[in-house]
Amino acid sequence: AMTFAGVVVAAGSGSRAGGDKQWRMLGGKPVLRWSAEALLAAGADPLIVVVGAGQEAKAEAVLADLTGWRVVIGGEQRADSVRAGLAAIAA
């Protein structure tokens, strides 16, 4: 079976979507939860979830009962957050 790593970049302010879109409810679940569940179900290993500083607890609450993921703190710009996520795969 093919294995792959997944990175969910959820560190942004979501300003284009009116703010904090990764935490917004969609069909009874936060948007971040849908992304994580889909990637884990597809076999992502590891799954890196990149969040903004201070949002670790929020991510852990949203993804509490899922396994195979870990949280990483993102950077100032989206590219910095992507870089942090990719570096976490290699670590």
Side-chain angles (χ1 to χ4, degrees):
M2 187 187 84
T3 60
F4 67 97
V7 178
V8 176
V9 181
S13 63
S15 52
R16 285 173 307 171
D20 285 343
K21 66 179 177 274
Q22 64 273 43
W23 312 112
R24 204 172 291 159
M25 297 299 277
L26 176 70
K29 288 190 272 195
V31 171
L32 173 59
R33 174 81 186 204
W34 286 103
S35 301
E37 284 180 355
L39 284 162
L40 289 169
D45 183 23
L47 175 62
I48 307 299
V49 178
V50 186
V51 299
Q55 295 184 325
E56 305 95 317
K58 206 172 198 177
E60 296 197 12
V62 166
L63 306 176
D65 55 332
L66 299 177
T67 57
W69 65 275
R70 67 182 194 272
V71 75
V72 171
I73 303 305
E76 194 63 38
Q77 303 293 325
R78 184 173 183 85
D80 300 318
S81 295
V82 171
R83 207 171 290 115
L86 293 173
I89 291 170

Coordinates of all heavy atoms in Angstrom, one line a residue:
A1 N 0.8 -1.2 0.0 CA 0.0 0.0 0.0 C 0.9 1.2 0.0 O 1.9 1.3 0.7 CB -0.9 0.0 1.2
M2 N 0.4 2.2 -0.7 CA 1.2 3.5 -0.8 C 1.0 4.2 0.5 O -0.1 4.3 1.0 CB 0.7 4.3 -2.0 CG 1.5 5.6 -2.2 SD 0.7 6.6 -3.4 CE -0.4 7.6 -2.5
T3 N 2.0 4.8 1.0 CA 1.9 5.6 2.2 C 2.2 7.1 1.8 O 3.0 7.3 0.9 CB 2.9 5.2 3.3 OG1 4.2 5.3 2.8 CG2 2.6 3.8 3.8
F4 N 1.6 8.0 2.5 CA 1.9 9.4 2.2 C 1.7 10.2 3.5 O 1.0 9.7 4.5 CB 1.0 9.9 1.1 CG -0.5 10.0 1.5 CD1 -1.1 11.2 2.0 CD2 -1.3 8.9 1.5 CE1 -2.4 11.2 2.4 CE2 -2.6 8.9 1.8 CZ -3.2 10.1 2.3
A5 N 2.3 11.3 3.6 CA 2.2 12.2 4.7 C 1.2 13.3 4.3 O 1.1 13.7 3.1 CB 3.5 12.9 5.0
G6 N 0.4 13.8 5.3 CA -0.5 14.8 5.0 C -0.2 16.1 5.8 O 0.3 15.9 7.0
V7 N -0.4 17.2 5.3 CA -0.2 18.5 6.0 C -1.5 19.3 5.8 O -1.9 19.6 4.7 CB 1.0 19.3 5.5 CG1 1.1 20.6 6.2 CG2 2.3 18.5 5.6
V8 N -2.1 19.7 7.0 CA -3.3 20.6 6.9 C -2.8 21.9 7.5 O -2.3 22.0 8.6 CB -4.4 20.1 7.8 CG1 -5.6 21.1 7.9 CG2 -5.0 18.7 7.3
V9 N -2.8 22.9 6.6 CA -2.3 24.3 7.1 C -3.5 25.1 7.5 O -4.3 25.6 6.7 CB -1.6 25.0 5.9 CG1 -1.1 26.3 6.4 CG2 -0.4 24.1 5.4
A10 N -3.7 25.1 8.9 CA -4.8 25.8 9.5 C -4.4 26.9 10.4 O -5.0 27.2 11.4 CB -5.7 24.7 10.2
A11 N -3.2 27.5 10.1 CA -2.6 28.5 10.9 C -3.1 29.9 10.6 O -2.9 30.9 11.3 CB -1.1 28.5 10.8
G12 N -3.8 30.1 9.5 CA -4.2 31.4 9.0 C -5.3 32.0 9.8 O -6.0 31.4 10.6
S13 N -5.5 33.3 9.6 CA -6.6 34.0 10.2 C -7.9 33.8 9.4 O -9.0 34.1 9.9 CB -6.3 35.5 10.2 OG -6.2 36.0 8.9
G14 N -7.8 33.3 8.2 CA -9.0 33.1 7.4 C -9.7 34.4 7.0 O -10.9 34.4 6.8
S15 N -8.9 35.4 6.9 CA -9.5 36.7 6.6 C -10.3 36.8 5.4 O -11.3 37.5 5.3 CB -8.4 37.8 6.6 OG -7.3 37.4 5.7
R16 N -9.9 36.1 4.3 CA -10.6 36.2 3.1 C -12.0 35.5 3.2 O -13.0 35.9 2.5 CB -9.9 35.4 1.9 CG -8.7 36.2 1.4 CD -7.9 35.4 0.4 NE -7.6 34.1 1.0 CZ -7.1 33.0 0.4 NH1 -6.8 33.1 -0.9 NH2 -6.8 31.9 1.0
A17 N -12.1 34.6 4.2 CA -13.4 33.9 4.4 C -14.2 34.5 5.6 O -15.1 33.9 6.1 CB -13.2 32.4 4.6
G18 N -13.8 35.7 6.0 CA -14.5 36.3 7.1 C -13.9 35.9 8.5 O -14.5 36.2 9.5
G19 N -12.8 35.3 8.5 CA -12.1 35.0 9.8 C -12.3 33.6 10.3 O -13.4 33.1 10.3
D20 N -11.2 33.0 10.7 CA -11.2 31.7 11.4 C -12.0 30.6 10.8 O -12.7 29.8 11.5 CB -11.7 31.9 12.9 CG -10.7 32.6 13.8 OD1 -9.5 32.6 13.4 OD2 -11.0 33.1 14.8
K21 N -11.9 30.4 9.5 CA -12.7 29.4 8.8 C -12.4 28.0 9.2 O -13.3 27.2 9.2 CB -12.6 29.6 7.3 CG -11.2 29.3 6.7 CD -11.2 29.4 5.2 CE -9.8 29.2 4.6 NZ -9.0 30.4 4.6
Q22 N -11.2 27.7 9.7 CA -10.8 26.3 10.0 C -11.6 25.9 11.3 O -11.7 24.7 11.5 CB -9.3 26.2 10.2 CG -8.7 27.0 11.4 CD -8.3 28.4 11.0 OE1 -9.0 29.1 10.3 NE2 -7.1 28.9 11.4
W23 N -12.1 26.8 12.1 CA -12.8 26.5 13.3 C -14.3 26.5 13.1 O -15.1 26.1 14.0 CB -12.4 27.4 14.5 CG -10.9 27.5 14.6 CD1 -10.1 28.6 14.3 CD2 -10.0 26.5 14.9 NE1 -8.8 28.3 14.5 CE2 -8.7 27.0 14.9 CE3 -10.1 25.1 15.3 CZ2 -7.5 26.3 15.2 CZ3 -9.0 24.4 15.6 CH2 -7.7 25.0 15.6
R24 N -14.7 27.1 12.0 CA -16.2 27.2 11.7 C -16.9 25.9 11.5 O -16.3 25.0 11.0 CB -16.4 28.1 10.4 CG -17.7 28.8 10.4 CD -17.8 29.8 9.2 NE -16.9 30.9 9.4 CZ -16.5 31.7 8.4 NH1 -16.9 31.4 7.2 NH2 -15.7 32.7 8.6
M25 N -18.1 25.8 12.0 CA -18.9 24.6 11.9 C -19.4 24.4 10.5 O -19.9 25.4 9.9 CB -20.0 24.5 12.9 CG -19.6 24.6 14.3 SD -18.5 23.2 14.8 CE -19.8 22.0 15.2
L26 N -19.3 23.2 10.0 CA -19.9 22.8 8.7 C -20.5 21.5 8.8 O -19.7 20.5 9.1 CB -18.7 22.8 7.6 CG -19.1 22.4 6.2 CD1 -20.0 23.5 5.5 CD2 -17.9 22.2 5.4
G27 N -21.8 21.3 8.6 CA -22.4 20.0 8.8 C -22.2 19.4 10.1 O -22.0 18.2 10.2
G28 N -22.1 20.2 11.2 CA -22.0 19.7 12.5 C -20.6 19.5 13.0 O -20.4 19.0 14.1
K29 N -19.6 19.7 12.1 CA -18.2 19.5 12.5 C -17.3 20.7 12.1 O -17.6 21.3 11.0 CB -17.6 18.3 11.8 CG -18.1 17.0 12.4 CD -17.2 15.8 11.8 CE -17.8 15.4 10.5 NZ -17.3 14.1 10.0
P30 N -16.3 21.1 12.9 CA -15.4 22.2 12.4 C -14.7 21.8 11.1 O -14.4 20.6 10.9 CB -14.4 22.3 13.5 CG -15.0 21.6 14.7 CD -15.9 20.6 14.2
V31 N -14.5 22.7 10.2 CA -13.9 22.5 8.9 C -12.5 21.7 9.1 O -12.3 20.8 8.3 CB -13.6 23.9 8.2 CG1 -12.8 23.7 7.0 CG2 -15.0 24.5 7.8
L32 N -11.7 22.1 10.1 CA -10.5 21.4 10.3 C -10.7 19.9 10.6 O -9.9 19.0 10.1 CB -9.8 22.0 11.6 CG -8.5 21.2 12.0 CD1 -7.4 21.2 10.9 CD2 -7.9 21.9 13.3
R33 N -11.8 19.5 11.2 CA -12.1 18.1 11.5 C -12.4 17.4 10.2 O -11.9 16.2 10.1 CB -13.3 18.1 12.5 CG -13.8 16.7 12.8 CD -13.0 16.0 13.8 NE -13.5 14.6 14.0 CZ -13.3 14.0 15.1 NH1 -12.7 14.5 16.2 NH2 -13.7 12.7 15.2
W34 N -13.1 18.0 9.3 CA -13.4 17.3 8.0 C -12.1 17.0 7.3 O -12.0 15.9 6.8 CB -14.3 18.2 7.2 CG -15.7 18.3 7.6 CD1 -16.3 19.3 8.2 CD2 -16.8 17.3 7.4 NE1 -17.7 19.1 8.5 CE2 -17.9 17.8 7.9 CE3 -16.8 16.1 6.7 CZ2 -19.2 17.1 7.9 CZ3 -18.0 15.4 6.7 CH2 -19.2 15.9 7.3
S35 N -11.2 18.0 7.3 CA -9.9 17.8 6.5 C -9.1 16.7 7.2 O -8.6 15.8 6.5 CB -9.1 19.1 6.6 OG -9.9 20.1 6.0
A36 N -9.0 16.7 8.5 CA -8.2 15.7 9.2 C -8.8 14.3 9.0 O -8.1 13.4 8.7 CB -8.1 16.1 10.7
E37 N -10.1 14.2 9.2 CA -10.7 12.9 9.0 C -10.5 12.3 7.6 O -10.2 11.1 7.5 CB -12.2 13.0 9.3 CG -12.6 13.1 10.8 CD -14.1 13.2 11.0 OE1 -14.9 13.2 10.1 OE2 -14.4 13.2 12.2
A38 N -10.7 13.2 6.6 CA -10.5 12.7 5.2 C -9.1 12.2 5.0 O -8.9 11.2 4.4 CB -10.9 13.8 4.3
L39 N -8.1 13.0 5.4 CA -6.7 12.6 5.2 C -6.4 11.3 5.9 O -5.7 10.4 5.4 CB -5.8 13.7 5.5 CG -5.8 14.8 4.4 CD1 -5.2 16.1 5.0 CD2 -5.0 14.4 3.2
L40 N -6.8 11.2 7.2 CA -6.5 10.0 8.0 C -7.2 8.8 7.4 O -6.6 7.7 7.3 CB -6.9 10.2 9.4 CG -6.1 11.2 10.2 CD1 -6.7 11.5 11.6 CD2 -4.7 10.7 10.5
A41 N -8.4 9.0 6.9 CA -9.2 7.9 6.3 C -8.5 7.4 5.0 O -8.5 6.2 4.7 CB -10.6 8.3 6.0
A42 N -7.9 8.3 4.3 CA -7.2 8.0 3.1 C -5.8 7.4 3.3 O -5.2 6.9 2.4 CB -7.0 9.3 2.2
G43 N -5.4 7.4 4.6 CA -4.1 6.7 4.9 C -2.9 7.6 5.2 O -1.8 7.2 5.3
A44 N -3.2 8.9 5.4 CA -2.1 9.8 5.7 C -1.4 9.4 7.0 O -2.0 9.1 8.0 CB -2.6 11.3 5.9
D45 N 0.0 9.3 6.9 CA 0.8 8.9 8.0 C 2.2 9.4 7.9 O 2.9 8.8 7.0 CB 0.8 7.3 8.2 CG 1.5 6.8 9.4 OD1 1.7 7.7 10.3 OD2 2.0 5.7 9.4
P46 N 2.6 10.4 8.5 CA 1.8 11.1 9.6 C 0.9 12.1 9.0 O 1.0 12.5 7.8 CB 2.9 11.8 10.4 CG 3.9 12.2 9.4 CD 3.9 11.0 8.4
L47 N 0.0 12.7 9.8 CA -0.8 13.9 9.5 C -0.3 15.0 10.3 O -0.4 14.9 11.6 CB -2.3 13.6 9.7 CG -3.2 14.9 9.4 CD1 -3.1 15.3 8.0 CD2 -4.6 14.6 9.8
I48 N 0.2 16.0 9.7 CA 0.7 17.2 10.5 C -0.4 18.3 10.4 O -0.8 18.6 9.2 CB 2.0 17.7 9.8 CG1 3.0 16.6 9.7 CG2 2.5 18.9 10.6 CD1 3.5 16.0 11.0
V49 N -0.8 18.8 11.5 CA -1.8 19.9 11.5 C -1.1 21.2 12.0 O -0.6 21.2 13.1 CB -3.0 19.5 12.5 CG1 -4.0 20.7 12.5 CG2 -3.7 18.2 12.0
V50 N -1.0 22.1 11.1 CA -0.3 23.4 11.4 C -1.3 24.4 11.8 O -2.2 24.7 11.1 CB 0.5 23.9 10.1 CG1 1.4 25.1 10.5 CG2 1.4 22.8 9.5
V51 N -1.1 24.9 13.0 CA -2.0 25.9 13.6 C -1.2 27.1 14.0 O 0.0 27.1 14.2 CB -2.9 25.4 14.8 CG1 -3.7 24.2 14.3 CG2 -2.0 25.0 15.9
G52 N -1.9 28.2 14.3 CA -1.3 29.4 14.8 C -0.9 29.3 16.2 O -1.5 28.5 17.0
A53 N 0.1 30.1 16.7 CA 0.5 30.1 18.1 C -0.7 30.3 19.0 O -1.5 31.2 18.7 CB 1.6 31.1 18.3
G54 N -0.8 29.5 20.0 CA -1.9 29.7 20.9 C -3.2 28.9 20.5 O -4.1 28.9 21.3
Q55 N -3.1 28.2 19.4 CA -4.3 27.5 18.9 C -4.2 26.0 19.1 O -5.0 25.2 18.7 CB -4.6 27.8 17.5 CG -5.0 29.2 17.3 CD -5.4 29.5 15.8 OE1 -4.9 28.9 14.9 NE2 -6.4 30.4 15.6
E56 N -3.1 25.5 19.8 CA -2.8 24.1 20.0 C -4.0 23.4 20.7 O -4.4 22.4 20.3 CB -1.5 23.9 20.7 CG -0.3 24.5 20.1 CD 0.0 25.9 20.7 OE1 -0.9 26.7 20.9 OE2 1.2 26.1 20.9
A57 N -4.4 24.1 21.8 CA -5.4 23.4 22.6 C -6.8 23.3 21.8 O -7.5 22.3 22.0 CB -5.7 24.3 23.9
K58 N -7.0 24.3 21.0 CA -8.2 24.3 20.2 C -8.2 23.1 19.2 O -9.2 22.4 19.1 CB -8.3 25.6 19.4 CG -9.7 26.1 19.0 CD -9.7 27.5 18.5 CE -11.0 28.1 18.5 NZ -11.0 29.5 18.0
A59 N -7.0 23.0 18.6 CA -6.9 21.8 17.6 C -7.0 20.5 18.4 O -7.6 19.6 17.9 CB -5.5 21.9 16.9
E60 N -6.4 20.4 19.5 CA -6.5 19.1 20.3 C -7.9 18.8 20.7 O -8.3 17.7 20.7 CB -5.5 19.2 21.5 CG -4.1 19.3 20.9 CD -3.0 18.9 21.9 OE1 -3.3 18.4 23.0 OE2 -1.8 19.2 21.6
A61 N -8.7 19.9 21.0 CA -10.1 19.6 21.4 C -10.9 19.2 20.2 O -11.7 18.2 20.3 CB -10.7 20.9 22.0
V62 N -10.6 19.8 19.0 CA -11.4 19.4 17.8 C -11.0 18.0 17.3 O -11.9 17.3 16.7 CB -11.1 20.5 16.7 CG1 -11.5 20.1 15.3 CG2 -11.8 21.8 17.1
L63 N -9.8 17.6 17.5 CA -9.3 16.4 16.9 C -9.0 15.3 18.0 O -8.4 14.3 17.7 CB -8.0 16.6 16.1 CG -8.1 17.7 15.0 CD1 -6.7 17.9 14.4 CD2 -9.1 17.3 14.0
A64 N -9.5 15.5 19.2 CA -9.2 14.8 20.4 C -9.2 13.2 20.2 O -8.3 12.5 20.6 CB -10.1 15.1 21.6
D65 N -10.2 12.7 19.6 CA -10.4 11.3 19.5 C -9.8 10.6 18.3 O -9.9 9.4 18.0 CB -11.9 10.9 19.6 CG -12.7 11.6 18.6 OD1 -12.3 12.7 18.2 OD2 -13.7 11.0 18.2
L66 N -9.1 11.4 17.5 CA -8.4 10.9 16.3 C -7.0 10.6 16.6 O -6.4 11.2 17.5 CB -8.5 12.0 15.1 CG -9.8 12.4 14.6 CD1 -9.7 13.5 13.6 CD2 -10.6 11.2 14.1
T67 N -6.5 9.6 16.0 CA -5.1 9.2 16.2 C -4.3 9.4 14.9 O -4.9 9.3 13.8 CB -4.9 7.8 16.7 OG1 -5.5 6.9 15.8 CG2 -5.6 7.6 18.1
G68 N -3.0 9.5 15.0 CA -2.1 9.5 13.8 C -1.8 10.9 13.4 O -1.3 11.1 12.3
W69 N -2.1 11.9 14.2 CA -1.8 13.3 13.8 C -1.0 14.0 14.9 O -1.0 13.5 16.0 CB -3.1 14.1 13.5 CG -4.0 14.3 14.8 CD1 -4.9 13.4 15.3 CD2 -3.9 15.4 15.7 NE1 -5.4 13.9 16.5 CE2 -4.8 15.1 16.7 CE3 -3.2 16.6 15.8 CZ2 -5.0 15.9 17.8 CZ3 -3.4 17.4 16.8 CH2 -4.3 17.1 17.8
R70 N -0.3 15.1 14.5 CA 0.3 15.9 15.5 C 0.3 17.3 15.1 O 0.2 17.7 13.9 CB 1.7 15.4 15.8 CG 2.8 15.5 14.8 CD 4.1 14.9 15.4 NE 5.2 15.3 14.5 CZ 5.6 14.5 13.5 NH1 5.0 13.5 13.1 NH2 6.7 14.9 12.8
V71 N 0.4 18.2 16.1 CA 0.2 19.6 15.8 C 1.6 20.3 15.8 O 2.5 19.9 16.5 CB -0.7 20.3 16.9 CG1 0.0 20.4 18.3 CG2 -1.2 21.6 16.5
V72 N 1.7 21.3 14.9 CA 2.9 22.1 14.7 C 2.5 23.5 14.6 O 1.4 23.8 14.1 CB 3.6 21.7 13.4 CG1 4.8 22.6 13.0 CG2 4.1 20.2 13.5
I73 N 3.3 24.4 15.2 CA 3.0 25.8 15.1 C 3.4 26.5 13.8 O 4.6 26.2 13.4 CB 3.6 26.6 16.3 CG1 3.2 26.0 17.6 CG2 3.3 28.1 16.2 CD1 1.7 25.9 17.8
G74 N 2.6 27.2 13.2 CA 2.8 27.8 11.9 C 3.6 29.1 12.0 O 4.0 29.5 13.1
G75 N 3.9 29.7 10.9 CA 4.7 31.0 10.9 C 3.9 32.2 10.5 O 2.6 32.2 10.5
E76 N 4.6 33.3 10.3 CA 4.0 34.6 10.0 C 3.2 34.5 8.7 O 2.1 35.0 8.6 CB 5.1 35.6 9.9 CG 4.7 37.0 9.9 CD 4.0 37.4 11.2 OE1 4.4 36.9 12.3 OE2 3.0 38.2 11.2
Q77 N 3.8 34.0 7.6 CA 3.1 33.9 6.3 C 2.7 32.4 6.1 O 3.2 31.5 6.6 CB 4.1 34.4 5.2 CG 4.6 35.8 5.4 CD 3.5 36.8 5.3 OE1 2.6 36.7 4.5 NE2 3.6 37.9 6.1
R78 N 1.8 32.3 5.1 CA 1.3 30.9 4.7 C 2.5 30.0 4.3 O 2.6 28.9 4.7 CB 0.3 31.0 3.6 CG -0.3 29.6 3.3 CD -1.4 29.7 2.3 NE -1.9 28.4 2.0 CZ -2.9 27.8 2.8 NH1 -3.3 28.4 3.9 NH2 -3.3 26.6 2.5
A79 N 3.4 30.6 3.6 CA 4.6 29.8 3.1 C 5.4 29.3 4.3 O 5.9 28.2 4.3 CB 5.5 30.7 2.2
D80 N 5.5 30.2 5.4 CA 6.2 29.7 6.6 C 5.5 28.6 7.3 O 6.2 27.7 7.8 CB 6.4 30.9 7.6 CG 7.1 32.1 7.0 OD1 8.1 31.9 6.3 OD2 6.6 33.3 7.2
S81 N 4.2 28.6 7.3 CA 3.4 27.5 7.9 C 3.6 26.3 7.1 O 3.7 25.2 7.7 CB 2.0 27.9 8.0 OG 1.8 29.0 8.9
V82 N 3.5 26.4 5.8 CA 3.7 25.2 4.9 C 5.1 24.6 5.2 O 5.3 23.4 5.3 CB 3.5 25.5 3.4 CG1 3.9 24.4 2.5 CG2 2.1 25.9 3.1
R83 N 6.1 25.5 5.2 CA 7.5 25.0 5.5 C 7.6 24.3 6.8 O 8.2 23.3 6.9 CB 8.4 26.2 5.5 CG 9.9 25.9 5.1 CD 10.7 27.2 4.9 NE 10.3 27.9 3.7 CZ 9.8 29.1 3.6 NH1 9.6 29.8 4.8 NH2 9.5 29.7 2.5
A84 N 6.9 24.8 7.9 CA 6.9 24.2 9.2 C 6.3 22.8 9.1 O 6.8 21.9 9.7 CB 6.2 25.1 10.2
G85 N 5.2 22.7 8.4 CA 4.5 21.4 8.2 C 5.4 20.4 7.5 O 5.5 19.2 7.9
L86 N 6.1 20.8 6.4 CA 6.9 19.9 5.7 C 8.1 19.5 6.5 O 8.6 18.3 6.5 CB 7.4 20.6 4.4 CG 6.3 20.8 3.3 CD1 6.8 21.6 2.2 CD2 5.7 19.5 2.9
A87 N 8.7 20.4 7.3 CA 9.8 20.1 8.2 C 9.4 19.1 9.2 O 10.2 18.2 9.6 CB 10.4 21.4 8.8
A88 N 8.2 19.2 9.7 CA 7.7 18.2 10.7 C 7.6 16.8 10.2 O 7.8 15.8 10.9 CB 6.4 18.7 11.3
I89 N 7.3 16.7 8.9 CA 7.2 15.3 8.2 C 8.6 14.7 8.3 O 8.8 13.5 8.6 CB 6.8 15.4 6.8 CG1 5.3 15.9 6.7 CG2 7.0 14.1 6.0 CD1 4.9 16.2 5.3
A90 N 9.6 15.5 7.9 CA 11.0 15.0 7.9 C 11.5 14.6 9.3 O 12.4 13.8 9.4 CB 11.9 16.0 7.2
A91 N 11.0 15.3 10.3 CA 11.6 15.2 11.7 C 11.3 13.8 12.2 O 10.2 13.2 12.0 CB 11.0 16.3 12.6

